[in-house]
Amino acid sequence: MSSEDPPAVDVAEMGIEAAVDAVLEADERRDRTLVRDALERFVVDGVVSWDAVDEALPAVVQAVSTAEERTSMASFELSKVEDEADAVADLATVEARLADFESELSVLADRASELRDRVDALQDRVEAADSLYPLAVEFRDVADEAESIENTAMALIEAIEDLGDDLDDPEGWVRGVRRDLVAVEDTLDALETVTDNLEATLAGDGDDWAAEIDPAVAWFDATLRAGVVDLMVADARFELQDLRTWADREDADWYPDDADDQVASLQERQATLATRLDDLAEGGWRERFDDRLDAFEADVAETEPPVDWRELQVTLERYRPEDATA
């Protein structure tokens, strides 16, 4: 038995807890909760039983079919949006979103195909099995993968529909970008407040604030977040440039001229903030956090518009200190 293979333990007609104990006795590396989760599919009146297998199989088959249907729905929605996007598919923002969807759908379709092979093999495994636990593990894993594929497909469909909405209403798309910029403005407001407090502390006037927070941690966290703001503003500017190009092509008046001013203002504020933070850094702060700053900068070095803001946020949270303020 490899480290990945479930132990072939005879647990039929055992109570659920006794069956779990038997599996763990055979392989103590197993997690009790996961073992119980697998076996519970085959429990009748508190006893692990072969009688439950025939009832569990149709439910797993149906879960796989549902996952395949959702994957097909995602493919259909993407085809529709690609047709809608034909006139503006050359715009980098649109092209990138479509390419991301195509890549995600390809991975999803491969997963669904592999899952179909597994569920098709389940009937043979049921007939050949002489131990319930390995079978229970496969039932659980197939059902979990089916649920994951279904959830991923539904999220993909929602994202594709969002692009469809943007294509139908480019003016609304502009408003959405500008709402994102308002959130960036709020972040800058907060970072500027932190920077004000750091400056006051170093000048000997911020003792009350410094008593509640480590200035070095606050500086490091603000520096990370300022770098993320820079990427977000650049991304919004990139997106708005594409939308302006679209409007110009159609000689349309839905693109607001002051959107460019909003981006320019944020870029100026971010640059000023970054300079202030750099000037504030004391030697001890840099020595303490230089390695983590370098690692963060390496992680985001190749990030170019269009940026996945959610992925960027995940990267930020990976580096932010645990005791940083929100």
Side-chain angles (χ1 to χ4, degrees), residues 22-153:
V23 172
L24 293 175
E25 184 176 347
D27 185 355
E28 61 185 13
R29 295 166 298 180
R30 301 279 157 179
D31 180 86
R32 176 175 291 273
T33 300
L34 294 179
V35 172
R36 182 183 292 103
D37 181 58
L39 288 172
E40 280 178 345
R41 296 177 186 277
F42 294 164
V43 172
V44 177
D45 296 329
V47 174
V48 179
S49 171
W50 282 102
D51 294 339
V53 176
D54 289 339
E55 295 181 10
L57 184 59
V60 173
V61 171
Q62 181 57 52
V64 172
S65 295
T66 299
E68 291 174 321
E69 290 170 6
R70 298 296 185 267
T71 301
S72 295
M73 285 174 58
S75 179
F76 176 70
E77 291 298 326
L78 181 56
S79 295
K80 286 200 309 181
V81 167
E82 285 175 333
D83 289 341
E84 294 172 20
D86 186 59
V88 291
D90 62 312
L91 297 179
T93 303
V94 176
E95 183 181 21
R97 289 172 75 176
L98 289 174
D100 285 346
F101 294 152
E102 289 168 358
S103 176
E104 291 176 36
L105 182 61
S106 176
V107 171
L108 197 63
D110 286 345
R111 289 175 62 192
S113 177
E114 291 170 3
L115 187 63
R116 169 51 60 183
D117 291 341
R118 289 176 70 179
V119 79
D120 286 345
L122 263 183
Q123 183 62 55
D124 292 338
R125 288 196 62 173
V126 168
E127 294 174 357
D130 56 8
S131 175
L132 269 177
Y133 181 65
L135 196 61
V137 170
E138 181 65 1
F139 269 63
R140 180 200 63 201
D141 290 350
V142 167
D144 287 351
E145 175 68 353
E147 182 180 8
S148 174
I149 290 173
E150 180 182 359
N151 291 339
T152 302

Side-chain angles (χ1 to χ4, degrees), residues 62-266:
Q62 181 57 52
V64 172
S65 295
T66 299
E68 291 174 321
E69 290 170 6
R70 298 296 185 267
T71 301
S72 295
M73 285 174 58
S75 179
F76 176 70
E77 291 298 326
L78 181 56
S79 295
K80 286 200 309 181
V81 167
E82 285 175 333
D83 289 341
E84 294 172 20
D86 186 59
V88 291
D90 62 312
L91 297 179
T93 303
V94 176
E95 183 181 21
R97 289 172 75 176
L98 289 174
D100 285 346
F101 294 152
E102 289 168 358
S103 176
E104 291 176 36
L105 182 61
S106 176
V107 171
L108 197 63
D110 286 345
R111 289 175 62 192
S113 177
E114 291 170 3
L115 187 63
R116 169 51 60 183
D117 291 341
R118 289 176 70 179
V119 79
D120 286 345
L122 263 183
Q123 183 62 55
D124 292 338
R125 288 196 62 173
V126 168
E127 294 174 357
D130 56 8
S131 175
L132 269 177
Y133 181 65
L135 196 61
V137 170
E138 181 65 1
F139 269 63
R140 180 200 63 201
D141 290 350
V142 167
D144 287 351
E145 175 68 353
E147 182 180 8
S148 174
I149 290 173
E150 180 182 359
N151 291 339
T152 302
M154 295 307 295
L156 180 57
I157 289 169
E158 183 178 353
I160 293 169
E161 290 176 342
D162 285 344
L163 176 56
D165 291 341
D166 286 342
L167 295 170
D168 290 338
D169 181 18
E171 187 173 4
W173 187 348
V174 174
R175 288 196 299 271
V177 176
R178 299 191 73 178
R179 282 194 298 272
D180 290 339
L181 287 174
V182 170
V184 173
E185 288 175 0
D186 292 341
T187 299
L188 276 172
D189 289 342
L191 293 176
E192 286 168 346
T193 298
V194 170
T195 305
D196 290 343
N197 286 327
L198 285 170
E199 288 174 340
T201 297
L202 292 180
D205 299 326
D207 292 343
D208 291 341
W209 180 79
E212 299 177 3
I213 190 168
D214 183 341
V217 170
W219 170 82
F220 171 60
D221 184 55
T223 300
L224 290 177
R225 294 169 69 192
V228 168
V229 166
D230 184 39
L231 292 170
M232 287 180 166
V233 174
D235 182 63
R237 176 178 160 183
F238 179 83
E239 198 166 0
L240 289 171
Q241 285 175 337
D242 270 357
L243 289 165
R244 175 184 277 280
T245 298
W246 184 359
D248 289 344
R249 282 182 186 176
E250 297 184 345
D251 196 22
D253 61 1
W254 48 258
Y255 187 87
D257 289 335
D258 65 335
D260 298 333
D261 295 334
Q262 184 183 15
V263 173
S265 174
L266 287 174

Side-chain angles (χ1 to χ4, degrees), residues 258-279:
D258 65 335
D260 298 333
D261 295 334
Q262 184 183 15
V263 173
S265 174
L266 287 174
Q267 284 185 312
E268 183 178 349
R269 286 181 61 189
Q270 191 283 334
T272 300
L273 174 68
T275 298
R276 290 174 65 192
L277 287 168
D278 192 54
D279 290 343

